[in-house]
Amino acid sequence: MSLFSFFAGVSSWLASLTGLQATQQAAPVVRRVVIEDTIILKVPVRPMRTSRPIEWIEEKGPKCLPARAIAGATLSGPSSIDFVLRDRRRIRAKLDDDCPALDFYSGFYLQANEDELICAKREMIRSRIGGSCRIARFRRLEPQAKR
C-alpha cells in the first residue's frame, strides 16, 4: 500500500465520520446541538441576492420563532438578519441599537431556551468570532415585485 493511498483512505474515513463528502457539496443547513439541556443552533448565512426583482416589505412580526422552523439566514443590513423559515417565509430580526458591527458572514449561533423558541428581547445572536447582539424585534417580510 502506497503512502498516498493510505492518506486517501484516512481522509475518506474522516470525511465519512464528519459527514463531509469530497465529491458532494451540500447546501449549508442549520445544525442543532444539545449540550447539557442547552439547545444551540449553528445558522449558516447565505449571501443576499440583489439581482431579483423583489422588494421586501416589513410588517408587524411575531414575538418568538420556533427554533426548528429556521432553515437559514441572509444578511439584510448592518443591524438586521433575515431568517429563512422551512415554510419559505422570511422574518427579519432587528438587532439592538447598541450592537457593534459584527461579522455574521461566516454564520452565527443562537441559543434557545427550554421552550425551543427564539424570542425578541430575550435571545442573543452570537458571531463565530465571539461578539453578540440581542434581538430587539422581529418583522415579517412580504415580497412585492419591484416597479
Side-chain angles (χ1 to χ4, degrees):
M1 178 194 260
S2 73
L3 190 58
F4 175 76
S5 62
F6 171 76
F7 283 115
V10 169
S11 66
S12 66
W13 176 72
L14 286 173
S16 67
L17 280 178
T18 60
L20 300 174
Q21 297 296 326
T23 58
Q24 294 179 336
Q25 290 188 359
V29 295
V30 174
R31 300 281 184 214
R32 185 174 183 263
V33 179
V34 179
I35 301 172
E36 294 183 14
D37 296 330
T38 302
I39 300 166
I40 300 172
L41 300 173
K42 180 182 176 192
V43 182
V45 174
R46 299 177 187 133
M48 185 123 187
R49 294 183 182 145
T50 57
S51 62
R52 288 188 175 178
I54 295 176
E55 183 178 354
W56 295 99
I57 307 299
E58 289 185 13
E59 296 182 355
K60 185 176 177 169
K63 299 219 184 295
C64 298
L65 293 175
R68 292 182 186 267
I70 299 171
T74 61
L75 296 178
S76 57
S79 62
S80 61
I81 295 173
D82 291 355
F83 287 109
V84 180
L85 305 183
R86 295 195 187 286
D87 62 3
R88 299 190 184 264
R89 289 183 299 143
R90 287 181 180 244
I91 302 291
R92 181 163 288 162
K94 296 283 201 164
L95 305 177
D96 276 345
D97 292 336
D98 62 347
C99 180
L102 295 176
D103 178 19
F104 293 117
Y105 288 96
S106 60
F108 57 88
Y109 297 103
L110 285 170
Q111 184 173 335
N113 282 353
E114 298 83 31
D115 58 7
E116 296 193 29
L117 294 174
I118 305 297
C119 295
K121 298 183 181 172
R122 184 177 81 177
E123 262 64 64
M124 306 276 286
I125 293 178
R126 301 180 194 290
S127 74
R128 294 185 70 189
I129 59 171
S132 62
C133 291
R134 185 171 308 280
I135 298 172
R137 67 185 174 276
F138 288 118
R139 304 292 286 169
R140 187 170 47 91
L141 297 177
E142 290 296 324
Q144 181 178 21
K146 284 186 181 177
R147 297 176 187 190

